[in-house]
Amino acid sequence: MAAGFAYDPATGRNQPLIEELSSGSWAFTLLPPNNSDAALGAISCPVLGWCEAVGGNGNNGALAESGWGKSWSASSPPLPGDAGELDTLSCPGVDACVATAHFAAVGNRFASDTLSHGVWTDTSPGALTGVLDPGFAVACLSTTSCVASTEFGAHTSFNAPTLGQAGWNVQPVNLPSETDDGALLGASCTAGGSCTAVGVEEPTAGGANPMAVQFNLPSPNIATTTRVLGVPPLVGVGMSLTYSATVTPPPSGGDVTFIDQTTGQTLCTGRAVSNGTASCATTAGNVGSHRILAAYSGNSSFVPSYGSATVTVAAPCPTGVTHHATGEPWAVAATVVDINGRNCPGYWVVTRSGGVITIGAAKWMGDASGRALAAPIIGIAATPDHGGYYLLGADGGVFTFGDAHFHGSTGAMRLDAPVVSMAVTPNGTGYWLAASDGGIFTFGNAPFHGSLGGIKLARPVVAMTTDGHTSGYWMVASDGGVFSFDAPFYGSAARVPLAQPVVGMSPQPDNGGYRLVARDGGVFDYGDATFYGSLPGLHVTNPGVTTMTASIDGRGYYLINAAGQVWAFGDAPFVGNA
């Protein structure tokens, strides 16, 4: 990075200029203000992704710019009235800089500013003895340990300004006796506190000689290590997240600045370190890989350090209806779709007329809308890999889409009672249909373990589901009674006084339990199924729930009604209504 100014002949003014070298090419950025004769004269970049530049604002005041690339923010460091601009700059750490002013003072004064916690402070000293005209360079180990270059007159010794804990002071420098004039023009310091300033001395006999002067400054003597924590490997655009940084050993003082090195955006600045930890609450940036840097500023005792971690930002998961279908919504099935390495939630909703509404990341793979149906559609079931789905008609008609395979149906049979539910075998090579009288119909490799056919039921069966461990199944009646066939019995709501009848049933993915749902949205959990809430608990009246389905991991569930309203509980992500 380089800083300077560009002269605009149309306005006759200078404009601050930043040049950035990347992949062998320079690119410039002109910075505001555009209406004053402003210029930058020095720049310091302690880490990739953050720089500070200083100069003058064209109105006899100082100008500072913080940023990287094309993103810069200006500030006006305070200076004594007789100092017009900042000419030199050294940043030993992020958000930790010292700048000295162009000599425009009377007597032996010069000006300086210190940047910390995002704020510039006037740290100009009072009068110092000797001939002092700093303004060529400054080198710092910390914001309280610096040496500034200076001019000197016809003397065999001069005083160089140095900065310590107590502020600016002078350090005597001896010169050859024949020196008539000269200046120190540049300075650099090692981490151990050894500094060298270089310049020119002019002998009285004429000519000029290069010269070098060494200084020893107090140096921070406690090394630190900074690590970035709390960086998830994959996030979505705009997602809220908090980065943490640990500094070891825990320092007394100093702060941490968090930077997106990929974009040069400063995410958080001046975050105080408490018990060795600092944090930054922010949001994920644009799609792509982002290197997040945590920069500890250091202080007079602790050495600055930096740590980084990489986060990948993916496109946001889709939400809302992505494919619309007409008709009365009736049943829902949940899914998760891999979008660029990120699991995005979604669900399918089937309508009574056979249309499939896709919400969130759920993919539309066709539906039965437009067909002449012998009976309304009353259910939807996903294949085990979620690459397809089945639609179920009340007459037992089965319609397949995606990788769902047709193994038969009761569409052409004469049934004693309508079909009310469907369950797919764990390997997807068969399915069961259940009728309201408890009759079970098996297709493909689905085994028959018994039915309630021929048994007089107190209330009709409303749903069934399968046990993936035993390939058995459960059925539930509208009074909450549960019937198990070669599947563990975990309990029922048959003896529970129900405000409204049970309408649906959903198994746990681990087959260790199941849930029932009533028309009023009341949820009843059994086995290892956890209760995460219900509609009566939310004071929702007359929701008219038609069915339910578990989230993919079973730690949540969805309820739906005939108006297409979806309620999500637990970790089931809500991505829209039908």
Side-chain angles (χ1 to χ4, degrees), residues 140-146 163-165 189-195 215-223 299-304:
C140 300
L141 300 169
S142 71
T143 54
T144 57
S145 185
C146 300
L163 179 63
Q165 288 278 15
C189 298
T190 67
S194 176
C195 301
F215 302 88
N216 290 314
L217 297 180
S219 173
N221 55 16
I222 303 177
N299 58 18
S300 59
S301 299
F302 291 86
V303 178

Side-chain angles (χ1 to χ4, degrees), residues 18-204:
I18 295 291
E19 290 271 4
E20 179 182 3
L21 177 64
S22 178
S23 301
S25 299
W26 287 94
F28 70 86
T29 300
L30 290 173
L31 306 179
N34 299 320
N35 58 352
S36 62
D37 199 19
L40 297 171
I43 191 169
S44 182
C45 305
V47 296
L48 178 69
W50 187 89
C51 296
E52 190 73 17
V54 295
N57 62 15
N59 296 316
N60 200 36
L63 170 66
E65 295 275 0
S66 299
W68 178 263
K70 296 184 179 298
S71 178
W72 293 83
S73 58
S75 59
S76 299
L79 282 173
D82 54 6
E85 61 185 31
L86 291 170
D87 277 338
T88 72
L89 178 67
S90 178
C91 298
V94 172
D95 195 31
C97 302
V98 173
T100 62
H102 174 71
F103 183 77
V106 294
N108 297 320
R109 277 185 62 194
F110 75 95
S112 71
D113 270 313
T114 298
L115 174 65
S116 180
H117 293 87
V119 177
W120 283 98
T121 303
D122 183 3
T123 52
S124 302
L128 299 176
T129 58
V131 177
L132 296 172
D133 191 356
F136 298 109
V138 64
C140 300
L141 300 169
S142 71
T143 54
T144 57
S145 185
C146 300
V147 61
S149 63
T150 183
E151 288 187 357
F152 50 91
H155 299 279
T156 57
S157 66
F158 72 100
N159 290 326
T162 57
L163 179 63
Q165 288 278 15
W168 286 98
N169 209 326
V170 293
Q171 184 167 329
V173 178
N174 292 322
L175 293 171
S177 59
E178 68 274 12
T179 297
D180 181 62
D181 199 357
L184 296 176
L185 304 175
S188 182
C189 298
T190 67
S194 176
C195 301
T196 300
V198 297
V200 61
E201 63 96 11
E202 300 176 359
T204 55

Side-chain angles (χ1 to χ4, degrees), residues 33 58 141 168 231 251 313 372-373 502 543:
L141 300 169
W168 286 98
V231 180
V313 180
L373 299 175
V502 168

Side-chain angles (χ1 to χ4, degrees), residues 427-536:
N427 61 9
T429 58
Y431 42 80
W432 298 270
L433 307 184
S436 63
D437 62 356
I440 291 291
F441 305 90
T442 63
F443 299 92
N445 73 335
F448 180 77
H449 296 289
S451 75
L452 298 173
I455 299 175
K456 185 176 181 180
L457 300 175
R459 292 289 185 273
V461 167
V462 293
M464 79 164 294
T465 191
T466 182
D467 178 356
H469 286 325
T470 65
S471 291
Y473 41 84
W474 298 281
M475 286 187 282
V476 63
S478 63
D479 61 357
V482 173
F483 307 90
S484 59
F485 296 86
D486 201 23
F489 178 75
Y490 295 112
S492 76
R495 298 182 181 276
V496 177
L498 301 174
Q500 291 192 26
V502 168
V503 294
M505 182 181 199
S506 179
Q508 281 293 84
D510 66 356
N511 306 293
Y514 43 75
R515 296 185 183 90
L516 312 180
V517 64
R519 188 171 300 279
D520 62 355
V523 174
F524 309 89
D525 54 282
Y526 301 94
D528 66 1
T530 301
F531 178 76
Y532 295 108
S534 65
L535 296 186

Side-chain angles (χ1 to χ4, degrees), residues 280-345:
C280 171
T282 184
T283 56
N286 296 327
V287 173
S289 179
H290 294 254
R291 190 171 181 83
I292 306 302
L293 176 82
Y296 169 61
S297 65
N299 58 18
S300 59
S301 299
F302 291 86
V303 178
S305 58
Y306 313 97
S308 62
T310 299
V311 60
T312 299
V313 180
C317 291
T319 59
V321 174
T322 55
H323 182 270
H324 182 69
T326 59
E328 183 182 31
W330 199 256
V332 61
T335 186
V336 168
V337 179
D338 184 336
I339 299 180
N340 297 325
R342 185 177 184 210
N343 289 331
C344 290

